[in-house]
Amino acid sequence: QFFPKSIPRVGRLALAGTCVPARTVSGDGYDFLMHGDGFLDIVVSDISGKGMSAALLTASLQSALRLQVTIGVVDPGRDRLSRIVGQLNQHLYLSTAPEKFATLFIGSYDSHSSTLTYCCAGHNPPYLLKGSELTQLSAGGVPLGLFPDMAYLETTVPIEAGDLFSRGMSSSTC
């Protein structure tokens, strides 16, 4: 029930998403969050462990993330994703058992400049296929919730018509 009910349209970006959990409930998650005029955040996450406890932690992470994005807890601008991910790290560090952690990829697509700014917090990095060039989108840092006050890096890549952004069995095409 935590997955998007509809796929947003922004610019020329074509999106798709699905999740096939290892069990009936899991800590896997993805989300599409529209904000501002022509901006879309694409999120993929996974919680350590399986079952109901992982699903509940996914709900907590999704709620904290949506609060920051939709209400604007983190001001837009430079290092926005780094700051969001840093605050999510603090949230999980302070509210979970030491053995619990999350991995997360968040990318913010700007339809005006056709760029994707992203931050990867210990998640298996997705790939960007531009023609015959394959790039791993790995800038970021360690998984969330392991250490307090972690700094996360973000970077921006141009997105052009025909580029393919893929994470495992899911992908988005421009």
Side-chain angles (χ1 to χ4, degrees):
Q1 295 297 319
F2 299 124
F3 297 111
K5 304 296 185 257
S6 63
I7 305 294
R9 296 277 308 159
V10 58
R12 63 178 186 227
L13 193 65
L15 298 166
T18 189
C19 179
V20 180
R23 296 185 182 169
T24 305
V25 292
S26 73
D28 300 319
Y30 73 92
D31 210 348
F32 303 118
L33 305 170
M34 292 292 300
H35 60 95
D37 180 29
F39 293 90
L40 170 72
D41 289 345
I42 302 163
V43 182
V44 180
S45 63
D46 191 11
I47 302 296
S48 61
K50 303 279 183 229
M52 188 58 71
S53 66
L56 290 172
L57 195 50
T58 295
S60 174
L61 181 66
Q62 182 183 46
S63 176
L65 176 62
R66 284 179 167 247
L67 179 67
Q68 290 186 64
V69 171
T70 59
I71 298 181
V73 172
V74 173
D75 294 329
R78 186 176 165 99
D79 299 328
R80 175 182 162 268
L81 294 183
S82 296
R83 290 180 283 135
I84 286 174
V85 173
Q87 289 185 8
L88 291 173
N89 177 65
Q90 278 296 104
H91 168 68
L92 286 182
Y93 181 80
L94 295 172
S95 64
T96 61
E99 68 276 4
K100 288 292 186 182
F101 64 91
T103 63
L104 177 127
F105 173 89
I106 183 169
S108 187
Y109 177 71
D110 178 347
S111 66
H112 306 292
S113 64
S114 291
T115 58
L116 179 75
T117 300
Y118 73 90
C119 181
C120 188
H123 202 71
N124 294 336
Y127 292 90
L128 180 62
L129 180 63
K130 300 172 91 36
S132 62
E133 182 182 334
L134 187 65
T135 304
Q136 193 175 49
L137 304 181
S138 58
V142 300
L144 305 174
L146 294 176
F147 307 103
D149 303 319
M150 291 302 301
Y152 291 86
L153 302 174
E154 67 181 55
T155 194
T156 301
V157 293
I159 302 292
E160 300 166 1
D163 288 355
L164 179 67
F165 167 79
S166 179
R167 167 45 186 107
M169 296 300 289
S170 62
S171 64
S172 303
T173 303
C174 300

